[in-house]
Amino acid sequence: MLINFVLAHIFNFFLCFLFLPIHGRLHYTSSLVVSQISVPPSPAPAAAVSPTYNGSSALGTTVFNVRTFGAVGNGVTDDTEAFKMAWDSACQTENSEVLVPKSRSYMLQSTIFTGPCKSGLKLQIDGTLVPPDGPDSWPKKISKRQWLVFYRINGMSMQGDGVIDGRGEKWWNLPCKPHKGPHGTTLPGPCDSPTAIRFFMCSNLKLKGLRIKNSPQFHFKFDNCQNVYVESLTIKSPALSPNTDGIHIQNTNNMKIYNSLVSNGDDCVSIGTGSYNIDIRNITCGPSHGISIGSLGDGNSRACVSNITVKDSIIKHSDNGVRIKTWQGGSGSVSSITFNNIHMDTVRNPIVLDQYYCLTKHCPNQTSAVHISNILYTNIRGTYDVRSPPMHFACSDSMPCTNLTLSEVELLPATKGHLVPIPLCWSAYGTMQTITVPPVLCLLEGIPELMPQNDSDRC
């Protein structure tokens, strides 16, 4: 009996030190073990339940603080393993949270956070995340095309008051980047640069309130994802930072992007092939290259994009406004696109539909093209830079654009006293439901007499 009594007291004494209170919350305290990120994670050790979350009730949430797994947070020490171990543990625990505490900067190498995970997973980013500082600091055996990847995750939310800083300046200044070589040239050679955050084959995602800046290339990339909700993002990089798209979407469906601010050196939002049912609302975009569908059909490829809505948004001080761009030689279709209630502020090309997209002066003429149809432009108003016509509809001779509709479009020169350039049209079929400013009198009526029909034209 005496031995049992002593053992019981020793066990209770041990429990008092296993679960340590931190800032009023109970966090799991782990010893440093080897991460299992590359294999299915083993069941997590028992963890304490957090009674509160930022002052509101969060009963049942298990918090895995990266600091308790060994993250230093000084912006220099490699914290990758600590993040992997926190992720592994949270991934195998229902209603769990990976916490990145505030007031510290955590340096992470290129990393893949793998699922599937149990339900109710949250990544709370309150501190700062940074990658290695530039190409020379990037490990030579690790791909330079991506930094943080989330793979096969279902039902995760990502939020927080912290910052994701891509530290992109050294990447932007590589001599292989446009006009960054000697005397403004572009030199040949390896030019891979990492996307900051990539979601691949993920579903039922929610991103809210995140701030990200200065990605070496795309800031966010959604590839083969479905059911994604994005709200209140702030994305910033310099206007001359190359290929720094804010949000790139491809092979993704049922995605909503609301109430966000994007200012960067490329498209605020770019939509690639295989994407449909995308709803974009209340975006403030610029300086930038605008909101784009494409480019599509590169290398004679087949592209399919449909049911895209962009509405209630502002595009300012940008090279382009709303744009659809396809290469000659492609196939497939772009259809059922709506641009509605968009304000343009000093935008060089407010409305662009271009089936002759080319990055050089030597793209060969080809007869096949991605078919573009059922495009609605309504209530688009504001000012444009007078260097270019405010509307540009350049369609393929062999595959004309069809069923273009313009209503309540009013675009005026940003500088008073300039003549209004005439809109450009080529093989573009459509109607003006109301008088536009300037008038688009170059649209062709009806439908083309001959339209090629084969399997590659359909999606």
Side-chain angles (χ1 to χ4, degrees), residues 331-342:
S331 60
S333 68
V334 175
S335 64
S336 301
I337 313 297
T338 297
F339 300 110
N340 176 38
N341 192 30
I342 299 174

Side-chain angles (χ1 to χ4, degrees), residues 218 221-223 245 247-253 267 269-276 278 292-297 302-306 308 325 333-334:
F218 297 171
K221 184 176 183 179
F222 295 87
D223 188 357
D245 293 37
I247 300 173
H248 178 71
I249 305 163
Q250 63 187 44
N251 299 308
T252 290
N253 63 81
D267 297 330
V269 181
S270 55
I271 300 172
T273 186
S275 300
Y276 59 92
I278 310 296
S292 293
I293 296 173
S295 61
L296 304 172
R302 184 171 180 268
C304 298
V305 175
S306 63
I308 311 296
K325 48 183 179 177
S333 68
V334 175

Side-chain angles (χ1 to χ4, degrees), residues 6-265:
V6 172
L7 289 175
H9 276 274
I10 292 173
F11 181 72
N12 289 333
F13 182 79
F14 172 75
L15 287 180
C16 290
F17 284 89
L18 181 59
F19 301 111
L20 300 176
I22 300 177
H23 302 299
R25 302 199 297 173
L26 294 179
H27 289 237
Y28 173 63
T29 303
S30 167
S31 59
L32 294 180
V33 296
V34 176
S35 170
Q36 300 296 311
I37 195 70
S38 60
V39 298
S42 58
V49 175
S50 173
T52 60
Y53 176 71
N54 286 349
S56 62
S57 175
L59 293 176
T61 298
T62 305
V63 178
F64 295 89
N65 187 329
V66 297
R67 293 271 290 157
T68 67
F69 287 84
V72 176
N74 62 8
V76 178
T77 302
D78 186 352
D79 290 325
T80 308
E81 281 301 311
F83 273 69
K84 285 182 177 181
M85 288 186 289
W87 175 270
D88 285 350
S89 298
C91 183
Q92 289 301 294
T93 306
E94 289 190 1
N95 299 320
S96 62
E97 173 186 315
V98 176
L99 174 64
V100 182
K102 63 182 179 180
S103 303
R104 289 182 179 271
S105 180
Y106 303 88
M107 197 279 284
L108 301 179
Q109 302 286 352
S110 177
T111 306
I112 300 176
F113 296 100
T114 305
C117 297
K118 291 190 176 180
S119 62
L121 176 61
K122 179 192 298 181
L123 177 54
Q124 181 74 24
I125 303 174
D126 292 332
T128 298
L129 303 182
V130 296
D133 189 14
D136 293 338
S137 300
W138 205 267
K140 298 188 184 308
K141 295 183 179 180
I142 296 179
S143 170
K144 293 181 178 179
R145 295 186 176 183
Q146 55 197 25
W147 176 30
L148 302 180
V149 180
F150 296 87
Y151 174 58
R152 289 189 178 275
I153 310 299
N154 177 36
M156 181 183 75
S157 64
M158 181 186 292
Q159 61 188 47
D161 298 323
V163 176
I164 302 168
D165 184 354
R167 301 166 92 176
E169 185 173 0
K170 292 180 181 178
W171 299 90
W172 306 331
N173 291 325
L174 288 172
C176 57
K177 294 298 175 76
H179 314 299
K180 296 296 183 178
H183 309 294
T185 60
T186 302
L187 298 183
C191 211
D192 287 345
S193 300
T195 292
I197 308 289
R198 183 189 180 198
F199 296 92
F200 182 48
M201 299 181 69
C202 295
S203 58
N204 301 307
L205 300 174
K206 182 177 181 180
L207 282 69
K208 186 174 182 179
L210 296 171
R211 293 183 292 162
I212 184 170
K213 64 179 183 179
N214 298 336
S215 178
Q217 197 152 303
F218 297 171
H219 288 77
F220 286 101
K221 184 176 183 179
F222 295 87
D223 188 357
N224 277 274
C225 297
Q226 61 181 351
N227 302 327
V228 179
Y229 182 83
V230 173
E231 183 175 6
S232 302
L233 296 189
T234 300
I235 302 172
K236 290 188 176 183
S237 62
L240 296 180
S241 56
N243 304 120
T244 53
D245 293 37
I247 300 173
H248 178 71
I249 305 163
Q250 63 187 44
N251 299 308
T252 290
N253 63 81
N254 299 324
M255 182 171 182
K256 303 178 187 300
I257 305 173
Y258 295 159
N259 309 320
S260 295
L261 171 67
V262 185
S263 172
N264 61 342

